[in-house]
Amino acid sequence: MEIHDLMKKSQDAETLSKSDLVYLLGLSPDSAESYLVMAEANRISKELATGQAEVHAQLALNLAPCPSNCLFCSFAQVNGVFAEETRLETEQAVAYAKQFESDGANAVFVMTTAHYPFGQFIEISQEIRRNLKPETTLVANVGDQSYENAKKLKDNGFAGVYHALRLREGADTSLSPEKRKKSIQSFQDAGLEVGTCVEPVGPEHTEGELAEMIEYTASFNPAYSGAARRIAIPNTQMALRGMINELRMAQIVAVTRLGMPRTVMGNCTHEPCTLGAAAGANLFWAEAGANPRDTEERTEEGRGETVESCRALFRECGWASWLGPSRYYNGRP
Ligand code: SF4
């Protein structure tokens, strides 16, 4: 198929096949064809989200050397970035969450490293929930969980989770791909919406790998999919593999949109950038506290964006901001 046939297929609301996706991912990112793909993804995203993008905001309850050793993560023990665990006090966590709420974040994410005690996560989350408005969307970003724990998240006021099968899971991480998938199933079975992403993309990932991951994310009808590039953590083995540039990331964000059914309203990218928003991203994240892509203990002093800076990036690309609870996590069609 030619590019114009694929654009026609997309305009007819058909989801593209794996071979279509491989073809589009193989285009040169700065070719005219690739800009057509980005324009089409932008059109779909704006149509589905009525031209109003969302900004979600994440706080981390802890920072710790993590034995799961995902090579791309600054918390990975093997990377030696952080030597000791630090945990937020409940009051600090509540203060971050309330700040995000008053900044207008459409959802507040609570993150931990994989080995943070689940009971403590629930306890602090209950306090956060009590201090936020009832309509504020709360999302968990935690390690693999059983169905029983997923139910506890739901029962304690979480609308959903962020969970991803990462690229080369099991090879670049010590986690089991099957367990990641099973967790996603458990979250959905418990009534939680699952947001996900094709991540973390590096220059070594082939078009075939990316297309397969796009198809996998589409297969469970997530709240949103999207694409995020790997950020090199200085002086690590993974940093030697390099990073893709924002234009290549924007291309992958756009192709991901074309690989999703129209029931998937959101299309995320991270880290926030105008090229991503111009290529059909309608979800960015603001961050505070620890951040797995940062070597600063408090990412607000490092790589982390604020709700307002994310909105400003969207405005530069002709997006308005959705005001109110996230539509991706609540009551989508
Ligand atoms: S990505 Fe999560 S599980 Fe992997 S090393 Fe980082 S904190 Fe641990």
Side-chain angles (χ1 to χ4, degrees):
M1 270 200 193
E2 291 262 315
I3 184 76
H4 292 286
D5 298 321
L6 293 179
M7 291 305 96
K8 172 82 176 56
K9 205 171 160 182
S10 173
Q11 281 152 13
D12 291 342
E14 282 184 55
T15 303
L16 302 193
S17 69
K18 183 180 168 193
S19 62
D20 296 339
L21 299 174
V22 167
Y23 173 78
L24 296 180
L25 291 163
L27 295 170
S28 171
D30 64 354
S31 64
E33 291 83 357
S34 198
Y35 284 113
L36 263 184
V37 175
M38 293 190 230
E40 170 63 3
N42 177 59
R43 184 191 69 77
I44 300 169
S45 283
K46 284 209 166 108
E47 188 176 295
L48 292 176
T50 57
Q52 296 158 295
E54 295 195 10
V55 176
H56 298 181
Q58 173 162 281
L59 66 100
L61 291 188
N62 76 323
L63 176 162
C66 177
S68 296
N69 280 328
C70 308
L71 296 178
F72 43 79
C73 175
S74 63
F75 304 141
Q77 212 156 29
V78 71
N79 287 336
V81 177
F82 300 110
E84 283 177 5
E85 175 160 23
T86 52
R87 291 185 183 177
L88 286 192
E89 297 296 332
T90 306
E91 302 70 45
Q92 293 172 298
V94 169
Y96 270 135
K98 283 177 73 78
Q99 182 64 51
F100 284 150
E101 183 184 66
S102 69
D103 291 346
N106 305 105
V108 174
F109 281 46
V110 187
M111 189 207 92
T112 67
T113 62
H115 298 269
Y116 189 88
F118 187 76
Q120 192 168 352
F121 177 82
I122 291 291
E123 265 176 44
I124 298 185
S125 298
Q126 285 170 336
E127 208 49 47
I128 292 174
R129 179 75 276 173
R130 262 196 290 277
N131 281 277
L132 295 178
K133 296 176 193 156
E135 65 271 24
T136 297
T137 304
L138 201 56
V139 177
N141 183 358
V142 291
D144 286 311
Q145 302 297 335
S146 63
Y147 171 77
E148 288 69 31
N149 281 357
K151 275 294 286 172
K152 282 184 197 156
L153 294 174
K154 179 75 183 162
D155 294 344
N156 281 284
F158 283 95
V161 298
Y162 175 83
H163 214 70
L165 172 70
R166 281 81 52 90
L167 290 156
R168 301 195 183 172
E169 191 81 74
D172 289 342
T173 75
S174 68
L175 303 177
S176 144
E178 285 318 306
K179 212 168 162 194
R180 302 291 292 171
K181 291 183 185 175
K182 198 157 178 271
S183 296
I184 288 172
Q185 186 64 56
S186 298
F187 292 132
Q188 289 188 320
D189 290 348
L192 294 158
E193 288 283 353
V194 179
T196 197
C197 187
V198 175
E199 58 120 331
V201 184
E204 74 276 21
H205 296 120
T206 65
E207 277 80 48
E209 282 177 288
L210 296 173
E212 267 172 34
M213 193 56 87
I214 291 171
E215 288 211 311
Y216 168 66
T217 65
S219 73
F220 59 88
N221 196 30
Y224 52 85
S225 186
R229 66 175 174 168
R230 182 176 68 230
I231 302 295
I233 307 294
N235 307 316
T236 61
Q237 191 191 328
M238 201 54 123
L240 300 175
R241 292 195 205 164
M243 274 171 67
I244 60 168
N245 61 24
E246 286 186 354
L247 185 61
R248 172 68 173 157
M249 180 171 78
Q251 177 191 18
I252 301 167
V253 169
V255 176
T256 303
R257 177 61 265 175
L258 270 52
M260 291 303 124
R262 295 295 201 267
T263 49
V264 180
M265 191 177 176
N267 195 40
C268 66
T269 197
H270 202 61
E271 296 173 329
C273 60
T274 47
L275 281 177
N282 56 16
L283 169 59
F284 286 160
W285 281 275
E287 293 171 290
N291 167 0
R293 286 165 307 282
D294 207 341
T295 52
E296 292 287 337
E297 291 200 12
R298 293 157 57 88
T299 196
E300 57 271 40
E301 291 160 8
R303 306 190 70 89
E305 297 281 352
T306 63
V307 174
E308 182 43 40
S309 67
C310 289
R311 284 183 170 171
L313 290 169
F314 275 126
R315 278 198 298 274
E316 295 291 355
C317 306
W319 281 96
S321 292
W322 172 253
L323 305 177
S326 170
R327 293 159 300 170
Y328 311 152
Y329 278 104
N330 301 285
R332 68 195 172 116

